[in-house]
Amino acid sequence: MNQNKDQNVIDDFGREWETFDQSQKPESERLIEFETYFDIFPWENLPPDPVGFDAGCGSGRWSLLVAPRVKHLYCIEPSNAIEIARRNLHHLQNCSFHKVSIDEMPFDNDSMDFGYSLGVLHHIPDTEKGLTDCVKKLKPGAPFLLYIYYNFDNKPFWFKSIWKISDLIRKFISRLPFKLKYLLSQCFALFVYYPFARFSKLLETFNINVEHIPLSAYRNMSFYRMRTDALDRFGTKLEQRFSREQITDMMKRAGLENITFSPGVPYWCAVGTKKPG
């Protein structure tokens, strides 16, 4: 059976989370980030003592805040980062850790009360199949929260042109040895991410709309977050992007309905519930 994974990409992410294990992330930023992604998640619709899964848990940054709200959380991660997650969540007794890919998740279909996958499925060869494999595990009516990279379908032409240039740079850097791409990514964090982010923050104090300024989403974020995301962005060989319409279609084909998108950054974060039957 052909597994839906790229081992080189998996290894790269293992090294990324070993480098940035999130131990230096400010707690206030962690909470704000969590609320930003989970704002549309229907916690109130979960049954008592829900059991669910984090598909691609990485260092466990989401699991850390989800696990205290549920009965049990399956942490799924194919890379060595699973050990980082195990360490970061050692104080929580309701998590189990599984070093497997999404198509190998160790629980039955139609068995989970909820699931989520944030920033993961665009890094596997067949994004739609990965989504479908996740939805199969849900009980009918159970919610699934999804975040995959968008193709800037809500941005002007010039913004997309800047991104295309950056993507050419990514394709070059991502093929370098890890130490070199780490160094280059950190240069981008210092000399590109940080200046653009802080410039956007300055403009915002004068009530100037900064929505279309590149990297303005980082204006209130720590430099640690910028460093992490710069390595994530430029160190990854496999990256796919989708429009809101494409994401909607994929979610429907995977078996989700009642699809809702977050109205703001991060684009496009969406939630849907598994269709009955």
Side-chain angles (χ1 to χ4, degrees), residues 10-68:
I10 290 171
D11 293 341
D12 282 344
F13 273 106
R15 286 188 284 267
E16 175 185 329
W17 293 120
E18 288 169 355
T19 304
F20 293 105
D21 64 1
Q22 306 303 290
S23 61
Q24 298 179 44
K25 179 188 283 291
E27 185 62 25
S28 59
E29 182 174 86
R30 189 193 310 276
L31 292 171
I32 292 171
E33 184 180 23
F34 178 80
E35 291 299 333
T36 300
Y37 281 89
F38 281 82
D39 180 59
I40 58 174
F41 189 77
W43 295 105
E44 68 281 1
N45 294 337
L46 296 183
D49 298 325
V51 175
F53 62 96
D54 181 339
C57 70
S59 64
R61 57 177 174 166
W62 309 118
S63 303
L64 186 66
L65 294 169
V66 171

Side-chain angles (χ1 to χ4, degrees), residues 57-153:
C57 70
S59 64
R61 57 177 174 166
W62 309 118
S63 303
L64 186 66
L65 294 169
V66 171
R69 300 169 177 243
V70 302
K71 180 180 180 181
H72 190 84
L73 184 66
Y74 288 90
C75 300
I76 307 299
E77 173 59 43
S79 78
N80 290 335
I82 193 69
E83 298 306 322
I84 307 297
R86 194 189 304 274
R87 185 178 73 206
N88 287 340
L89 303 171
H90 73 278
H91 60 291
L92 297 170
Q93 304 303 311
N94 63 333
C95 296
S96 56
F97 303 89
H98 305 274
K99 189 179 180 182
V100 296
S101 59
I102 286 174
D103 53 4
E104 301 171 315
M105 291 191 288
F107 35 83
D108 294 336
N109 292 345
D110 304 306
S111 64
M112 295 288 107
D113 297 309
F114 70 94
Y116 59 92
S117 183
L118 304 179
V120 175
L121 297 183
H122 47 245
H123 292 309
I124 64 177
D126 190 335
T127 297
E128 184 169 339
K129 182 181 183 302
L131 175 57
T132 301
D133 286 339
C134 288
V135 174
K136 285 179 180 177
K137 300 300 181 181
L138 299 173
K139 295 177 181 177
F144 186 77
L145 183 67
L146 173 70
Y147 170 64
I148 55 179
Y149 285 167
Y150 79 121
N151 66 0
F152 307 106
D153 47 321

